[in-house]
Amino acid sequence: MNAKRDTVVRYIDELEKVGGLKGTDIANIAQVSKATVSRWVNGAMKPRPHMQLILSDLHYIVGRLQEYYSADEIRIWLYARHPQLEGKRAIDIINEGESERVLNVLDRLDAEAYL
C-alpha cells in the first residue's frame, strides 16, 4: 500500500472510531457506493483527488467536533440541518466542497457562541 492509500485508510478508520460514522455514512457523504469505500480500505482502488479532499475535510471537521461531542453526537451533528448553515446539513456542504462554511460554524463554537 502506498502512502496515499495508507492515509485514506487511516482517515476512514478514524472517521468510524472518532466520528461514529459507518462505511455507509462515508459512502453517503462522498456520494459513492459502500463497495467503493470498501475498495479504498482494502487498497483495491484509491479515491479520486476530489474524494480525497472531501475525506480530508471530513476528517478535519470530525477532529474539531471531537473536542465537544461524543462519536454518536458527531454523527448526528453532521446529519442534522443547521440554522447557521441556512438549514443545510454539514455532510452536504462538505460534499459540495464548501467545508469552509462548516469550519466557520466550528470557529463560532470555539469562540463559545454555542449552537
Side-chain angles (χ1 to χ4, degrees):
M1 230 188 271
N2 69 30
K4 281 190 177 181
R5 288 191 184 136
D6 287 342
T7 301
V8 168
V9 172
R10 183 175 54 83
Y11 278 4
I12 291 171
D13 185 52
E14 289 177 13
L15 289 170
E16 291 173 347
K17 289 179 182 165
V18 176
L21 299 172
K22 298 169 178 42
T24 303
D25 295 318
I26 295 166
N28 288 338
I29 293 166
Q31 295 184 345
V32 298
S33 70
K34 185 177 175 191
T36 297
V37 174
S38 292
R39 286 185 202 102
W40 294 343
V41 170
N42 296 329
M45 65 185 288
K46 66 178 185 173
R48 293 182 181 193
H50 175 70
M51 286 300 113
Q52 289 177 18
L53 288 174
I54 288 172
L55 290 171
S56 176
D57 284 356
L58 181 60
H59 180 265
Y60 181 73
I61 289 167
V62 165
R64 296 264 316 263
L65 287 168
Q66 78 174 339
E67 297 174 28
Y68 303 100
Y69 303 114
S70 70
D72 289 339
E73 291 169 329
I74 290 171
R75 184 178 183 277
I76 291 167
W77 194 95
L78 290 168
Y79 274 92
R81 295 188 179 277
H82 295 277
Q84 294 187 24
L85 296 172
E86 295 83 42
K88 290 188 175 186
R89 302 179 311 163
I91 60 168
D92 296 329
I93 292 172
I94 294 165
N95 184 274
E96 293 166 4
E98 297 184 27
S99 297
E100 195 64 38
R101 291 175 55 201
V102 177
L103 292 171
N104 289 338
V105 172
L106 295 178
D107 288 343
R108 288 192 292 274
L109 182 62
D110 286 343
E112 298 183 15
Y114 295 99
L115 308 177

